[in-house]
Amino acid sequence: MCCLPDVQNRRPAIEICLSKVCISGFYKRICLNVDGSDICLDAKMSACVNLPRNQRGIHVSRNVEAIIEAIGETKFAGFKKLEEALHNLTRTLLNKHTYASMAETSLRTLYIHRYSSFMGMDEVPTILMIRDKLWRDGREELTIGVMVKGMTVCPCAQEVYAYMEKLQSQLPHVPSHSQRTLASVNITLNRLDNGIDLARLIDAVINSFSAPVLNYLKREGEYRLVRRAFENPRFVEDVARSLVFNVYEVFTNELRDEDRIAVKVVSFESIHPYNLYAYSSYSIKELREKLTKGA
């Protein structure tokens, strides 16, 4: 069986390059050792390489083979080791596809974050995303992202209601509409070694909302959470701006000028049949200049 046809290696009918060819939706369990305890994450992974103009297709089995070899059953110690595991996969992928000049891998998984709130400790479900890109010339790009749910209260409805009912003196303790909000942030760097701590990143997101959403609330807890949210009303735009600023403030010493922060905040509106979202992306250099100048 040594002479099977290699159809992928033939010239294509239309000779143009493809930026990426990927396998996606590949599930793999990755086990970490955090503070002496094993934490296993069931990650949804993708593995991609670019394709030159004279190559008809990628050898798909090599992508699967790379995941099995690079990830395997190894236990990695801590969050940074997870990044290194993904980078090892990217490097393995590039080595197996000798015709490619770029490889990209990513994973997405549910991560349970222990959050210390004004109500005590709670477990916040978070979507964790890591993407790693490696070029054959040695360039690399790492993106770390999280997606977290929170609560917002509309400041406009609150103030208009107070005005119409002549309750301005009672602000902010008057009605408004509230909604669940989904915020995501991605930090992109051109290096594997970084100081991005997952717990601090998630806390920065949660602190951008009017209030967090929590699992366990008795009646007094509900009162305290709702009061907190209504005393801190925020538009989706406010959350997006606060998120950019919070992440910048938390990681300003770990980030370089060329690093980039991108945020997207989606408000699932309670009084409208549509949703709202705000998006922003800045390099650290741009942020430093704007925040210094007040622009």
Side-chain angles (χ1 to χ4, degrees), residues 136-164:
R136 201 169 291 281
D137 61 11
R139 289 177 295 134
E140 58 185 302
E141 181 182 279
L142 176 71
T143 300
I144 302 170
V146 294
M147 188 182 299
V148 188
K149 293 176 183 176
M151 177 182 176
T152 53
V153 170
C154 179
C156 178
Q158 190 179 58
E159 292 201 26
V160 169
Y161 187 97
Y163 176 82
M164 298 294 290

Side-chain angles (χ1 to χ4, degrees), residues 42-267:
D42 292 321
K44 184 179 182 181
M45 307 186 70
S46 68
C48 314
V49 293
N50 70 332
L51 196 65
R53 61 191 302 273
N54 60 344
Q55 180 85 15
R56 186 174 180 182
I58 71 165
H59 297 82
V60 176
S61 63
R62 296 180 189 177
N63 291 41
V64 178
E65 186 179 46
I67 293 174
I68 294 172
E69 289 181 8
I71 304 298
E73 299 300 325
T74 307
K75 292 184 178 180
F76 300 97
F79 176 63
K80 289 185 179 181
K81 295 295 184 180
L82 184 57
E83 301 163 34
E84 291 172 9
L86 195 64
H87 185 72
N88 185 46
L89 169 58
T90 313
R91 187 170 55 247
T92 302
L93 198 63
L94 195 58
N95 290 338
K96 287 184 178 294
H97 294 276
T98 55
Y99 43 80
S101 60
M102 184 279 297
E104 175 184 318
T105 60
S106 66
L107 66 81
R108 176 181 289 236
T109 185
L110 176 66
Y111 180 85
I112 303 301
H113 171 62
R114 287 184 58 79
Y115 175 65
S116 179
S117 74
F118 62 99
M119 296 296 298
M121 294 300 297
D122 204 292
E123 293 185 334
V124 177
T126 303
I127 300 298
L128 165 65
M129 188 281 292
I130 304 177
R131 182 176 64 244
D132 182 67
K133 295 179 72 173
L134 182 64
W135 285 263
R136 201 169 291 281
D137 61 11
R139 289 177 295 134
E140 58 185 302
E141 181 182 279
L142 176 71
T143 300
I144 302 170
V146 294
M147 188 182 299
V148 188
K149 293 176 183 176
M151 177 182 176
T152 53
V153 170
C154 179
C156 178
Q158 190 179 58
E159 292 201 26
V160 169
Y161 187 97
Y163 176 82
M164 298 294 290
E165 296 290 332
K166 298 179 172 56
L167 298 173
Q168 291 97 323
S169 64
Q170 298 184 32
L171 280 168
H173 304 115
V174 297
S176 183
H177 64 92
S178 62
Q179 41 275 320
R180 188 182 296 180
T181 303
L182 181 65
S184 60
V185 57
N186 291 318
I187 302 176
T188 301
L189 319 98
N190 60 6
R191 62 196 178 280
L192 182 63
D193 184 27
N194 64 85
I196 306 302
D197 177 74
L198 181 59
R200 290 194 296 154
L201 180 58
I202 297 172
D203 283 345
V205 181
I206 295 174
N207 294 335
S208 302
F209 298 117
S210 294
V213 291
L214 302 174
N215 288 298
Y216 183 66
L217 291 169
K218 303 288 279 186
R219 281 173 290 182
E220 181 183 350
E222 288 182 348
Y223 158 74
R224 292 177 62 191
L225 182 66
V226 170
R227 182 184 177 102
R228 179 187 177 100
F230 275 70
E231 290 177 346
N232 188 31
R234 290 190 172 183
F235 291 129
V236 65
E237 298 95 326
D238 295 324
V239 177
R241 289 184 171 117
S242 179
L243 180 51
V244 171
F245 181 78
N246 285 351
V247 174
Y248 172 79
E249 283 284 285
V250 170
F251 296 108
T252 185
N253 293 328
E254 287 86 359
L255 296 175
R256 302 175 183 173
D257 282 353
E258 65 273 16
D259 297 335
R260 180 165 290 274
I261 298 172
V263 306
K264 182 178 180 181
V265 183
V266 182
S267 175

Side-chain angles (χ1 to χ4, degrees), residues 30-41 74-82 111:
I30 305 176
C31 292
L32 315 175
N33 187 270
V34 181
D35 297 328
S37 300
D38 289 340
I39 299 176
C40 291
L41 306 173
T74 307
K75 292 184 178 180
F76 300 97
F79 176 63
K80 289 185 179 181
K81 295 295 184 180
L82 184 57
Y111 180 85

